[in-house]
Amino acid sequence: MKNWRHRQIVSLFLIAVLILPACASKGELGDSFDPENQKEYGINGTYVGQNIQEAIDILRPAKADFMDMQTREAYTVEQMASGQGKMVMGMMLVDRAQVIVMVEHGVIQSIMLAGVPEEQAQELKTNRGLAMYDSEVQLKKLYGEAAGEKEVVYKGSKQTASFGIINEQVVWFRFDRL
């Protein structure tokens, strides 16, 4: 009887040692860009595929306005978080930077960022750590090589990341669900 319990405890311990680390690391960012990890596609901890309420809680915008793209009806974050709104476009003001998001049934479909004041560039970084106005070299260091001269695009099977390059600097980026 004692031998059976000992085996159960050892088995549970082995399962915990082998499976829990795998679960804990799932979804986190690795050393290199993973085009299949949805958390790669976002800024400041928000990402494409996340619920809008979670994103608002992370970004804490000073102002946020949302409107359905078809009906022109205004939506609150609470309405969208509960799944309302077929395709809602929104603008969030984070300090002086405008973050534009597209939300479908409470889930972020697109995050766009451009026109960030230079003094605020380091405040809004991609989840991989790329800031607005960073060099094209830094982009390739963090995300790897990709085709494109004025627009560099990285694609996964469900998401895409686009970066606008002018004078060898990143001047806009956009993350989208496919």
Side-chain angles (χ1 to χ4, degrees), residues 44-116:
N44 287 31
T46 64
Y47 54 91
V48 171
Q50 184 177 41
N51 184 282
I52 186 63
Q53 183 66 61
E54 294 171 2
I56 293 286
D57 291 345
I58 292 168
L59 292 174
R60 295 187 180 124
K63 185 174 182 174
D65 292 317
F66 299 95
M67 180 177 69
D68 188 281
M69 292 169 53
Q70 294 173 341
T71 65
R72 305 292 188 236
E73 180 181 346
Y75 277 87
T76 65
V77 173
E78 293 78 20
Q79 286 174 309
M80 289 185 300
S82 70
Q84 296 178 33
K86 185 171 180 176
M87 190 56 72
V88 179
M89 186 70 108
M91 191 276 299
M92 297 184 285
L93 193 59
V94 179
D95 198 8
R96 292 182 21 225
Q98 294 178 359
V99 178
I100 299 169
V101 294
M102 195 170 350
V103 181
E104 182 178 5
H105 301 294
V107 177
I108 296 176
Q109 302 297 312
S110 179
I111 301 171
M112 298 161 270
L113 190 62
V116 174

Side-chain angles (χ1 to χ4, degrees), residues 116-129:
V116 174
E118 286 190 47
E119 64 273 6
Q120 195 181 350
Q122 294 298 315
E123 294 175 30
L124 293 169
K125 293 182 179 182
T126 69
N127 290 345
R128 186 143 292 281

Side-chain angles (χ1 to χ4, degrees), residues 125-157:
K125 293 182 179 182
T126 69
N127 290 345
R128 186 143 292 281
L130 184 75
M132 194 67 65
Y133 311 115
D134 274 353
S135 69
E136 185 175 8
V137 172
Q138 181 69 4
L139 168 66
K140 291 182 180 185
K141 179 181 171 188
L142 294 172
Y143 287 88
E145 292 294 324
E149 200 171 297
K150 293 187 185 237
E151 182 177 359
V152 179
V153 179
Y154 299 88
K155 278 190 175 183
S157 61

